[in-house]
Amino acid sequence: MPEVTAEVENLIRDYERLWNEGNYAEIPTLVADSFVLHDPGYPDTVRGRDAFETYLRELREGFPDFHVEIEDTAVSDQTVMAKWTMTGTHEGEFAEIPPTGNSVELEGMDTVEIADGTVQEHRVYYDSRALFEQVGLTDE
């Protein structure tokens, strides 16, 4: 497997920082205009920069202390796989789920497709049932 180039590494770290800090002004430099995000816990596929900004704002409103830590990456051509841990407290509505005040810690992986120095597509993989359990939406 090829090594992560400095350009790809910088893009992924800047993209991670965007999620953690919510600096929405960076979206046009980090994601493609035709960007697509797939999140199993979100009701719709996110398409385009404006929809992505709306999604991130909702996420950060739902989990004001949202933090994702990338623990490991692997790259093949322009595809980056990232293993991560996310933490946050569900203090606002997110994905039509009313706030519960519960703390969440999830592990997951992403597939991020890069072209022309921007993120083109982002697929998020995690156990959405674990998320629902942690925010208190199940009987378990």
Side-chain angles (χ1 to χ4, degrees), residues 100 102-103 127-140:
T100 61
N102 292 4
S103 294
D127 182 354
S128 55
R129 181 161 175 85
L131 171 63
F132 298 147
E133 287 173 358
Q134 290 184 46
V135 295
L137 296 179
T138 64
D139 295 331
E140 296 177 25

Side-chain angles (χ1 to χ4, degrees), residues 2 19-20 40 42 82 97 103 126:
W19 283 78
N20 287 332
Y42 197 69
I97 302 169
S103 294
Y126 62 90

Side-chain angles (χ1 to χ4, degrees), residues 39-59:
D39 177 340
Y42 197 69
D44 300 309
T45 298
V46 176
R47 297 182 185 281
R49 290 176 178 156
D50 291 342
F52 178 53
E53 181 174 340
T54 298
Y55 168 89
L56 273 181
R57 287 184 183 277
E58 288 177 13
L59 175 65

